[in-house]
Amino acid sequence: MEERFARELTKLCPEGPLVLAVSGGGDSVALAVLVRALGREAVVAHFDHGLRPESWEDAAFVRALAERLGFPVVVERVDVARVARARGGNLEATARELRYAFLARVAKRHGARCILTAHTADDQAETVLFQLFTGTARAPGIRRKRGSFARPLLWARRAELRTYLEARGLPWREDPTNLDLARDRAYLRHEVLPRVEARFPGVVPALGRFAEVRQAEEDWLEVEAQRVLRSDPRIFVPNYRTLPLARAPEPLRSRALRRILEGVRIRPEARHVAALTEALSGTKAVLTKEFIVRGYQGALFLIPENLSPEPVPEWARPCAYRKDLRLWGGGRLAEFFRTRGIPPELRRRWPIGCREGQVVWVRGLFPVPPEDRFMRRALSLARAAARAGEVPVGAVLVRGQEVLAEARNEVLARGDPTAHAERLALEAAFRKGFARLRDAVLYVSLEPCPMCFGALVEAGIKALYYAAENEKMGAFTVHRLKAPFPVVPGRFGAQSARLLSGFFARLRSEGCRSG
């Protein structure tokens, strides 16, 4: 027991002081005794939920245990039921949140990077069954380590730990609520799992192996999901480009959509995932009382019903959005929002500053940032390419406010299938003597293909902005490549997409006429 525990603990927490979450039950007492046997520095932490009149006895038992083992001890009591009522939340969820927050505080106070909990193989099996029975559709169980929390006993059976304590003449306490079959966990523990194990011996370790496989799959899906979640940082509500999501395989898309929901603390139920899926095609739906979801100009927006007011600069005054508002220097605000892909539902919530009846400040958008000016230049180069009969793509390479090089597609002109705008811009910069591009940013009207992406990686650019997704050969949308630099999509994406669709429509029309 001690040898196996030593190996597991060394993998999870090789050095430094530990915090031991000890309730007084057999599992957590065994955890403390095993840590003592290894001679590791630790502090015992006991959280009294105040849910039973005799809970103070558990705290006293843990204090005595810690003193016997030579560990310092921290005990905290909170009336969890009162907190849950005040918050209007679930009792078990509130208890878990408060308990883990307490453990994190103890770890910070004592300089511990690892908090050990005494979850066992039986707990793992119960958790997997609970997740399956309640319809999570994932069932990854309990992780050996997440953040600073580690579970070095997930391999051990509950009965083994009690045998270990009995052999040493060490007592523990039993929580009577663990026998209450009205509780889901207790029902699984005492009614379901023993019957299943009697019929299928070895089911507990089998469920543990299942959890390990699911966790590995989840980790892979998390990485892949991140690659299809592309956002525009100018927009202060959750927003994601729709095409990478739509083009992703269904299991990956579903995982990415669940991740979006989890990011705004919405339970990823099937109906919520379905609402997001439908919005990918450009519809609007009420997600919850707090959020609406809207697909607009190639992006998916999660718009809160209530947004905190954003302070405007001192030289302006806050003003509400109206369609007839005009920008300082000319142009209608509604058109300005539309060309930047901001849906109508978000325009009414966007922080705006006015002076003398005109808009002088729009959060993140006006005065126009350099990124917009450079992307407009890339679009101008793309139009020039279209007039020359080339696929309309333009690229501008910038360092600070200095344009190092710019180019447009010249595949036909050069008779070279690799003469893409991005590669030509890099080539032009190197010809001018700019051998190092680590602080250079590329603006391109179409998402790079894998060939151009490889060139950008080799050149070591600082960041990439692209307007429209490349539906056929996009390095990120189609091939889901991982960039070693920030990638910002969607700047003037609708304009670039219209330019491309118009160009190919003319090609098809001319082909029909010549045919």
Side-chain angles (χ1 to χ4, degrees):
M1 176 70 71
E2 291 174 0
E3 290 176 1
R4 176 70 185 272
F5 180 78
R7 291 196 299 271
E8 291 295 320
L9 186 58
T10 301
K11 292 177 189 175
L12 298 172
C13 309
E15 58 185 6
L18 307 167
V19 170
L20 312 180
V22 180
S23 66
D27 304 336
S28 62
V29 170
L31 172 70
V33 173
L34 286 164
V35 171
R36 177 74 284 166
L38 294 183
R40 289 288 296 269
E41 180 185 354
V43 56
V44 168
H46 176 80
F47 186 75
D48 182 353
H49 299 81
L51 296 175
R52 295 179 289 112
E54 68 277 12
S55 64
W56 68 269
E57 296 177 5
D58 295 340
F61 174 84
V62 172
R63 286 185 190 275
L65 173 69
E67 183 178 356
R68 178 176 181 177
L69 296 176
F71 289 136
V73 62
V74 180
V75 175
E76 182 174 296
R77 187 181 191 280
V78 175
D79 187 344
V80 172
R82 182 183 60 79
V83 175
R85 285 194 301 271
R87 293 181 179 180
N90 174 271
L91 180 63
E92 290 187 19
T94 301
R96 185 181 187 278
E97 178 185 343
L98 294 174
R99 180 172 65 254
Y100 275 65
F102 160 69
L103 293 171
R105 289 196 303 273
V106 174
K108 183 176 181 180
R109 192 183 313 154
H110 289 81
R113 288 183 292 178
C114 252
I115 302 167
L116 306 188
T117 65
H119 291 94
T120 66
D122 298 83
D123 293 311
Q124 181 72 288
E126 293 161 11
T127 300
V128 169
L129 291 178
F130 180 79
Q131 290 171 340
L132 289 171
F133 293 164
T134 54
T136 64
R138 291 168 64 186
I142 305 168
R143 289 185 176 269
R144 274 192 163 80
K145 190 169 186 182
R146 183 182 286 277
S148 58
F149 288 86
R151 288 97 185 178
L153 287 173
L154 276 183
W155 54 274
R157 295 299 304 269
R158 194 173 288 132
E160 290 180 287
L161 295 175
R162 280 152 176 74
T163 300
Y164 174 79
L165 292 177
E166 288 170 350
R168 283 150 186 78
L170 296 172
W172 66 88
R173 292 180 64 81
E174 295 290 355
D175 184 346
T177 61
N178 288 335
L179 299 174
D180 182 4
L181 297 184
R183 295 172 177 262
D184 292 335
R185 289 280 184 169
Y187 178 74
L188 287 172
R189 178 175 301 180
H190 299 294
E191 290 291 321
V192 176
L193 200 53
R195 297 188 183 192
V196 173
E197 196 169 16
R199 183 65 179 261
F200 302 100
V203 69
V204 169
L207 288 170
R209 292 191 296 272
F210 171 82
E212 289 180 358
V213 172
R214 287 294 300 117
Q215 289 168 18
E217 292 170 346
E218 282 290 308
D219 291 343
W220 180 84
L221 278 171
E222 280 292 313
V223 172
E224 291 299 307
Q226 184 58 46
R227 295 183 185 179
V228 301
L229 293 176
R230 298 279 170 187
S231 301
D232 187 337
R234 297 172 305 169
I235 300 171
F236 53 90
V237 301
N239 68 97
Y240 306 92
R241 302 300 297 172
T242 56
L243 193 58
L245 286 163
R247 293 292 298 271
E250 194 282 328
L252 180 57
R253 178 172 61 252
S254 177
R255 181 67 196 98
L257 294 177
R258 290 202 301 270
R259 183 170 182 167
I260 290 173
L261 293 166
E262 290 164 354
V264 292
R265 297 188 176 184
I266 296 176
R267 182 169 176 157
E269 299 174 6
R271 59 192 177 97
H272 294 146
V273 174
L276 292 185
T277 304
E278 187 175 348
L280 291 176
S281 61
T283 62
K284 171 187 170 183
V286 176
L287 198 56
T288 65
K289 291 187 292 185
E290 290 80 24
F291 282 93
I292 63 172
V293 58
R294 175 73 149 96
Y296 185 77
Q297 288 194 15
L300 186 72
F301 298 87
L302 273 71
I303 305 174
E305 284 293 338
N306 297 303
L307 281 173
S308 300
E310 176 80 10
V312 303
E314 294 180 359
W315 43 268
R317 63 174 180 79
C319 57
Y321 171 78
R322 300 195 316 270
K323 289 184 178 181
D324 61 340
L325 279 174
R326 300 189 69 83
L327 291 167
W328 187 276
R332 292 174 60 246
L333 178 60
E335 179 64 14
F336 179 83
F337 272 137
R338 188 190 66 79
T339 58
R340 282 152 181 81
I342 309 301
E345 296 81 6
L346 186 53
R347 297 173 198 174
R348 293 191 291 270
R349 295 166 169 81
W350 204 281
I352 301 168
C354 294
R355 266 174 51 185
E356 300 176 12
Q358 291 186 313
V359 175
V360 294
W361 178 83
V362 180
R363 176 179 172 173
L365 302 178
F366 189 83
V368 175
E371 292 86 355
D372 282 14
R373 295 200 300 271
F374 295 132
M375 188 60 80
R376 282 191 178 279
R377 178 59 188 160
L379 285 169
S380 177
L381 290 164
R383 294 186 189 97
R387 289 193 294 271
E390 302 276 2
V391 174
V393 181
V396 180
L397 190 64
V398 177
R399 175 184 289 151
Q401 300 300 307
E402 177 190 6
V403 175
L404 302 181
E406 57 184 33
R408 61 175 176 80
N409 269 11
E410 295 187 19
V411 171
L412 298 179
R414 298 189 181 210
D416 179 0
T418 70
H420 293 190
E422 304 96 304
R423 193 183 67 77
L424 296 180
L426 293 176
E427 183 182 292
F430 280 110
R431 280 203 309 268
K432 292 179 181 179
F434 298 110
R436 299 175 67 84
L437 299 175
R438 291 179 182 172
D439 53 354
V441 178
L442 184 75
Y443 298 86
V444 62
S445 61
L446 181 67
E447 176 188 359
C449 68
M451 177 191 71
C452 292
F453 171 73
L456 297 175
V457 172
E458 291 296 329
I461 66 167
K462 179 182 178 181
L464 168 68
Y465 288 74
Y466 70 81
E469 281 80 18
N470 186 337
E471 297 188 33
K472 293 184 178 180
M473 289 295 292
F476 315 112
T477 299
V478 177
H479 296 281
R480 298 195 298 280
L481 299 180
K482 182 180 180 181
F485 43 73
V487 177
V488 182
R491 294 286 171 98
F492 299 100
Q495 290 89 320
S496 179
R498 284 198 297 271
L499 181 60
L500 287 158
S501 61
F503 173 80
F504 287 113
R506 286 194 299 275
L507 283 186
R508 288 191 295 270
S509 176
E510 291 168 2
C512 289
R513 286 200 297 270
S514 63

